[in-house]
Amino acid sequence: MAVPLLGALWAETPLETRIFGSVLLFSWAVYLWEALLAWRQRTVYKTTTHVPLELGQIMDVETFEKSRLYQLDKSAFSFWSGLYSEIEGTVILLCGGIPFLWSVSGEVSEYAGFGPEYEITQSLAFLLLATLFSAVTGLPWSLYNTFVIEEKHGFNQQTLGFFFKDAVKKFVVTQCILLPVTALLLYIIKIGGDYFFIYAWLFTLVVSLVLVTIYADYIAPLFDKFIPLPEGELKQQIEAMAKNIDFPLTKVYVVEGSKRSSHSNAYFYGFFKNKRIVLFDTLLEDYSALNKERPEDAGSESQAAGENREETETPAKAKSKKQGCKNEEVLAVLGHELGHWKLGHTIKNIVISQMNSFLCFFLFAVLIGRKELFAAFGFYDTQPTLIGLLIIFQFIFSPYNEVLSFCLTVLSRRFEFQADAFAKGLGKAQDLYSALIKLNKDNLGFPVSDWLFSMWHYSHPPLLERLQALKESKQD
């Protein structure tokens, strides 16, 4: 009896109210699902207090306990920050935060001499205020994560001054890219006519390709120091491996990621015949030129301070000694990464991303004229294009986005196995096996996971599964 009654009441409810209620309900459903998964994984952290037999030859007791405690702290932080984020989003929606901020941005635009007819200007003001609000409300969480959790477990290498300087720089650089791109996108949508979604998609495609191309050369160096990998055995071996698989390598860089964190990474970028490889110094057992510079810098503090004040803001505290990887293991890791290129994973991901982008812009074109979508979020008299993008892409598409995200996670794990197999084909199985163990130890990754949590979240297969796949070839 209650169900039909609720169904009748729901049917009589205005459409905009049903849309708003559905968005809120789905948001909380996703949050509760994520909380359930996190609880399952946290239970694994709490109950798995001894190294499982199958890990006896992989991880010592001390490292196992360190990684368990690290992941417990991260899990607790994720729970509270996630709960805050969900409550904040709900309060903003219920209290009309979006139309309020749009009104404030209109007042700001008018104060600057732009009337209501300058919708793009008001949209940029809205975007600036929204990102500023997000940065300010997220700052305490970022501080706690960096200077409490990461510091406690030996990963943080930043000072407070460096952290704030870096945060301000990131915000400014983001605005310098975001605001002009958004202005052009809104202009294209305004003048594009019936087929504006095609032009908008093409524009975002070009922007994404340009950003991928210039990021490591012009954007990343604003935050981290990049130096060419010194001549030597490692560079020669990397170049030989690249040549062997026809990878058009032009440069190899080492990035000084250690000035902010002890976590390690490696990646490649570039299009066509202009590929570059970037290695984090924390990935290398020997920091090469970086280690050689530090004693000299320490012996000439005054000169270094005069030449580069930012370097002096890097923490002076001693770095925690990390295993890093030997040259053979670094080559194995790169063999895996280059496998993604050789097997076409990068191109496949770009194609999937752009197909999704085109579909979303097409559906946006279909839905943008529906006034009830705007009314559901408090916009009764105006239908700003930027607000339409926000409502449709973030709220209306949220169920689709969740499904797509899971499918891409499954695909990513498949790609990772294939890249491991490619490295095996290069004769790197044993070195990749030991490198994965070392990287897991260095980053305090916990090797035991709940099956449902890992299935939903892990873009990389669990460590034991990857090692098992490599072990067969290693023993051959």
Side-chain angles (χ1 to χ4, degrees):
M1 187 70 181
V3 174
L5 179 61
L6 288 174
L9 289 173
W10 181 258
E12 293 175 4
T13 304
L15 180 56
E16 56 266 27
T17 304
R18 280 184 278 160
I19 292 172
F20 183 81
S22 298
V23 167
L24 269 184
L25 285 174
F26 185 79
S27 177
W28 276 97
V30 170
Y31 169 75
L32 292 174
W33 167 247
E34 295 284 359
L36 172 64
L37 295 179
W39 172 78
R40 290 173 60 100
Q41 182 62 22
R42 185 170 174 79
T43 301
V44 172
Y45 297 146
K46 285 182 175 180
T47 57
T48 313
T49 56
H50 301 288
V51 182
L53 290 176
E54 62 269 28
L55 296 174
Q57 302 299 318
I58 297 173
M59 182 175 281
D60 59 84
V61 175
E62 181 183 2
T63 303
F64 184 85
E65 182 64 11
K66 283 182 178 179
S67 66
R68 189 180 76 86
L69 295 176
Y70 176 51
Q71 297 300 332
L72 270 173
D73 284 347
K74 285 178 64 180
S75 177
F77 173 81
S78 178
F79 170 79
W80 290 111
S81 61
L83 179 60
Y84 167 80
S85 179
E86 188 64 26
I87 292 174
E88 179 191 77
T90 301
V91 170
I92 288 173
L93 289 178
L94 290 175
C95 297
I98 298 176
F100 171 76
L101 189 60
W102 180 258
S103 176
V104 171
S105 63
E107 294 175 5
V108 171
S109 298
E110 191 172 346
Y111 181 80
F114 298 95
E117 66 274 16
Y118 291 93
E119 183 188 313
I120 293 179
T121 303
Q122 185 173 351
S123 298
L124 298 184
F126 175 89
L127 199 56
L128 178 61
L129 292 174
T131 52
L132 181 60
F133 173 81
S134 178
V136 171
T137 56
L139 185 60
W141 297 100
S142 183
L143 283 167
Y144 186 87
N145 182 57
T146 301
F147 292 100
V148 177
I149 296 178
E150 296 294 298
E151 182 80 22
K152 174 183 177 182
H153 295 280
F155 289 114
N156 177 47
Q157 301 295 325
Q158 303 177 68
T159 63
L160 199 58
F162 178 86
F163 175 89
F164 278 107
K165 185 174 183 179
D166 198 53
V168 170
K169 193 187 296 184
K170 284 179 181 177
F171 183 82
V172 171
V173 171
T174 299
Q175 300 310 310
C176 288
I177 297 172
L178 180 63
L179 296 181
V181 168
T182 302
L184 286 171
L185 177 61
L186 294 176
Y187 181 72
I188 289 170
I189 293 174
K190 288 288 185 184
I191 67 169
D194 293 338
Y195 298 101
F196 75 84
F197 62 94
I198 297 177
Y199 309 131
W201 167 68
L202 288 173
F203 172 72
T204 56
L205 170 62
V206 171
V207 169
S208 62
L209 293 179
V210 169
L211 288 178
V212 167
T213 303
I214 69 172
Y215 173 78
D217 285 326
Y218 300 102
I219 300 176
L222 296 173
F223 304 97
D224 296 301
K225 182 178 179 182
F226 285 68
I227 64 171
L229 180 67
E231 296 292 337
E233 183 181 0
L234 178 59
K235 185 176 182 181
Q236 292 172 358
Q237 291 174 326
I238 291 174
E239 291 173 341
M241 182 171 66
K243 185 177 181 180
N244 182 49
I245 63 172
D246 300 319
F247 181 77
L249 178 65
T250 55
K251 292 181 182 178
V252 183
Y253 291 108
V254 177
V255 57
E256 192 178 352
S258 57
K259 73 178 183 180
R260 65 177 73 245
S261 172
S262 294
H263 291 294
S264 51
N265 198 6
Y267 62 91
F268 69 88
Y269 69 99
F271 288 101
F272 307 114
K273 299 294 184 180
N274 188 29
K275 307 284 189 184
R276 288 96 183 274
I277 289 175
V278 177
L279 306 171
F280 278 54
D281 56 353
T282 47
L283 178 67
L284 309 175
E285 192 172 64
D286 180 5
Y287 287 171
S288 63
L290 295 172
N291 274 341
K292 296 175 184 177
E293 286 173 4
R294 285 195 176 105
E296 297 171 7
D297 291 344
S300 55
E301 273 186 353
S302 59
Q303 180 182 355
E307 291 176 355
N308 191 347
R309 296 185 61 85
E310 182 176 339
E311 290 293 322
T312 65
E313 295 183 21
T314 305
K317 60 186 177 184
K319 290 168 66 70
S320 299
K321 290 185 177 180
K322 291 288 181 182
Q323 274 186 288
C325 291
K326 297 177 181 178
N327 285 2
E328 295 80 6
E329 294 163 340
V330 172
L331 286 170
V333 171
L334 286 179
H336 168 94
E337 294 300 327
L338 297 184
H340 286 304
W341 169 80
K342 189 69 174 180
L343 298 171
H345 296 165
T346 306
I347 296 298
K348 290 174 184 176
N349 281 330
I350 291 174
V351 170
I352 292 171
S353 173
Q354 293 309 314
M355 287 175 62
N356 173 63
S357 178
F358 181 83
L359 174 63
C360 288
F361 274 116
F362 172 74
L363 294 176
F364 170 77
V366 173
L367 297 172
I368 188 63
R370 302 294 295 270
K371 293 184 178 181
E372 55 268 26
L373 290 178
F374 290 89
F377 294 89
F379 290 83
Y380 301 100
D381 302 319
T382 59
Q383 291 83 44
T385 303
L386 179 64
I387 300 301
L389 287 167
L390 173 66
I391 291 173
I392 294 172
F393 276 74
Q394 182 172 338
F395 299 128
I396 305 303
F397 288 172
S398 53
Y400 164 74
N401 290 335
E402 289 295 323
V403 174
L404 178 65
S405 176
F406 174 70
C407 292
L408 291 178
T409 298
V410 173
L411 181 63
S412 175
R413 284 199 298 269
R414 179 179 176 84
F415 283 171
E416 292 302 319
F417 276 125
Q418 291 176 354
D420 282 350
F422 181 83
K424 276 198 300 187
L426 295 177
K428 306 293 183 184
Q430 184 170 350
D431 292 325
L432 184 57
Y433 187 95
S434 59
L436 290 175
I437 294 173
K438 284 186 176 182
L439 291 174
N440 186 76
K441 289 180 179 179
D442 290 351
N443 293 287
L444 291 184
F446 195 69
V448 184
S449 56
D450 172 73
W451 71 271
L452 191 57
F453 181 88
S454 64
M455 180 186 71
W456 187 261
H457 282 293
Y458 286 4
S459 61
H460 287 57
L463 176 65
L464 285 178
E465 293 182 20
R466 296 181 72 180
L467 294 181
Q468 184 60 39
L470 289 168
K471 194 173 183 179
E472 300 171 2
S473 188
K474 180 186 167 194
Q475 292 174 343
D476 291 343

